[in-house]
Amino acid sequence: MVFLIRVQTEITIKRPIECCFDAARDLDLHTRTVWNHTQEKIVSANEGLIGPGEIVTFEATHFFVRQRLTSKVIDFEPPYTFTDQMQQGAFRSLIHIHEFEVLHQNETSMRDTLHFEAPYGWMGRLAERFILQSYMKNFLEYRNKQLKKMLES
């Protein structure tokens, strides 16, 4: 039986959909919009905007442990959605769906849906519900607020 956790965030950005879509897949912007204390960096990827079939490896510190996560873009429908899936990392599974919707001419809804499953059986399930679910939501919300600030300034 699969015990996937689902985390969803949504933010409105006063910029055209194409701009928001490209910003969300900009690898340089990614490392500049996450929590500073994670010291996140890209250790393997093409430069610029990530696209269909491309793979990126991030290195960051979470819960005092330096770790790597390799993700591949498995779905790509510009400028409305792209999905990346963990290929290697600390989770048992992780899928991140990025969705964009035009609200008005220069206003876009950006929604992130994260499905993940921790390793380690019942201990992992406890960590998912009591620690990881809120941690991952806060992580996404922080990043999205930073993207919004950058795009709207």
Side-chain angles (χ1 to χ4, degrees), residues 1-152:
M1 182 176 208
V2 177
F3 296 95
L4 283 178
I5 295 293
R6 179 177 171 268
V7 171
Q8 190 167 62
T9 64
E10 189 165 355
I11 194 165
T12 299
I13 300 175
K14 293 178 182 167
R15 294 288 289 159
I17 190 171
E18 295 83 5
C19 181
C20 297
F21 182 83
D22 286 347
R25 63 193 188 96
D26 185 314
L27 296 176
D28 180 52
L29 272 182
H30 179 85
T31 57
R32 294 182 1 220
T33 55
V34 296
W35 290 324
N36 287 333
H37 71 270
T38 65
Q39 300 176 339
E40 188 156 335
K41 67 180 185 175
I42 296 167
V43 294
S44 173
N46 292 331
E47 292 184 15
L49 306 179
I50 194 163
E54 292 186 347
I55 296 172
V56 60
T57 300
F58 297 99
E59 186 176 271
T61 301
H62 295 281
F63 303 107
F64 307 105
V65 176
R66 195 78 180 153
Q67 46 193 288
R68 286 187 176 197
L69 182 135
T70 300
S71 192
K72 179 179 181 180
V73 176
I74 60 167
D75 182 41
F76 193 79
E77 298 173 35
Y80 303 104
T81 186
F82 70 97
T83 302
D84 55 271
Q85 182 175 26
M86 184 192 78
Q87 304 296 296
Q88 202 169 28
F91 291 94
R92 186 168 180 190
S93 66
L94 185 141
I95 294 176
H96 186 176
I97 303 164
H98 308 257
E99 297 173 290
F100 306 84
E101 179 183 350
V102 174
L103 299 177
H104 301 288
Q105 184 177 357
N106 285 316
E107 194 172 69
T108 303
S109 171
M110 184 173 79
R111 183 174 39 252
D112 285 283
T113 306
L114 195 64
H115 298 275
F116 65 89
E117 184 181 10
Y120 309 120
W122 65 269
M123 286 175 46
R125 287 192 293 282
L126 288 175
E128 288 169 352
R129 280 151 182 81
F130 295 110
I131 300 168
L132 292 173
Q133 190 167 13
S134 63
Y135 183 85
M136 297 305 286
K137 184 170 181 112
N138 291 337
F139 182 84
L140 290 173
E141 286 176 342
Y142 178 86
R143 178 173 189 271
N144 290 346
K145 286 176 187 172
Q146 298 307 305
L147 265 181
K148 178 182 172 78
K149 265 193 233 178
M150 292 176 113
L151 290 173
E152 291 183 352

